[in-house]
């Protein structure tokens, strides 16, 4: 009985430990977003239909980022501004990936999201 109580106490302390709360959660990206930048450049450049698939994933992922934000954060962000249309966005992703081929496509999209946020705030 004492061992069981001790085990429960240790588990409880571990669960509420502030140090654990500060650690980022590991998120496993799936689908096209998990593809390496190298693969994106190889697949999307010559194949327009493949490029459209990446573009669709990119837009859905960024929309998901906005939806997951707390109220008042990134509410005014324009994911398709007239000053930075989709053709420029895909070029931004391609340029990022050419410079960081071992990063994931999702990493590149997150950088694009930051750029779109800065464009929306001006």
């Amino acid at each position: 009985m004492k061992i069981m109580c001790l085990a429960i106490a240790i588990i409880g302390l571990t669960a509420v430990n502030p140090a654990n709360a500060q650690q980022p959660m590991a998120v496993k990206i799936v689908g096209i977003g998990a593809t390496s930048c190298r693969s994106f450049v190889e697949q999307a450049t010559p194949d327009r239909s493949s490029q459209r698939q990446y573009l669709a994933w990119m837009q859905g992922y960024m929309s998901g980022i906005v939806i997951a934000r707390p109220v008042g954060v990134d509410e005014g962000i324009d994911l398709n501004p007239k000053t930075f249309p989709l053709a420029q966005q895909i070029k931004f992703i391609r340029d990022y990936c050419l410079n960081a081929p071992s990063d994931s496509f999702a990493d590149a999209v997150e950088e694009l999201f930051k750029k779109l946020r800065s464009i929306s705030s001006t």
Side-chain angles (χ1 to χ4, degrees):
M1 182 71 166
K2 288 182 183 181
I3 294 174
M4 181 187 258
C5 289
L6 181 60
I8 291 171
I10 291 171
I11 291 169
L13 288 174
T14 304
V16 296
N17 182 352
N20 289 341
Q22 294 175 3
Q23 295 175 359
M25 288 189 346
V27 176
K28 182 170 173 83
I29 301 293
V30 296
I32 289 177
T35 303
S36 71
C37 273
R38 178 178 291 108
S39 293
F40 162 72
V41 171
E42 291 170 357
Q43 293 170 8
T45 301
D47 183 2
R48 304 279 289 163
S49 66
S50 177
Q51 183 172 298
R52 280 191 299 276
Q53 290 175 347
Y54 279 98
L55 186 63
W57 191 93
M58 174 187 86
Q59 290 176 314
Y61 186 62
M62 290 191 301
S63 295
I65 292 171
V66 172
I67 291 168
R69 296 283 198 239
V71 175
V73 177
D74 290 332
E75 282 183 352
I77 191 167
D78 186 352
L79 298 178
N80 190 16
K82 290 179 180 166
T83 59
F84 201 65
L86 295 177
Q88 283 182 275
Q89 291 181 33
I90 205 77
K91 182 183 180 322
F92 177 93
I93 296 284
R94 185 172 289 110
D95 291 345
Y96 176 95
C97 284
L98 286 169
N99 289 317
S102 61
D103 283 4
S104 71
F105 181 72
D107 293 330
V109 174
E110 289 172 14
E111 286 303 311
L112 173 62
F113 184 84
K114 291 175 188 174
K115 178 158 181 79
L116 292 172
R117 181 191 295 139
S118 70
I119 290 170
S120 294
S121 67
T122 58

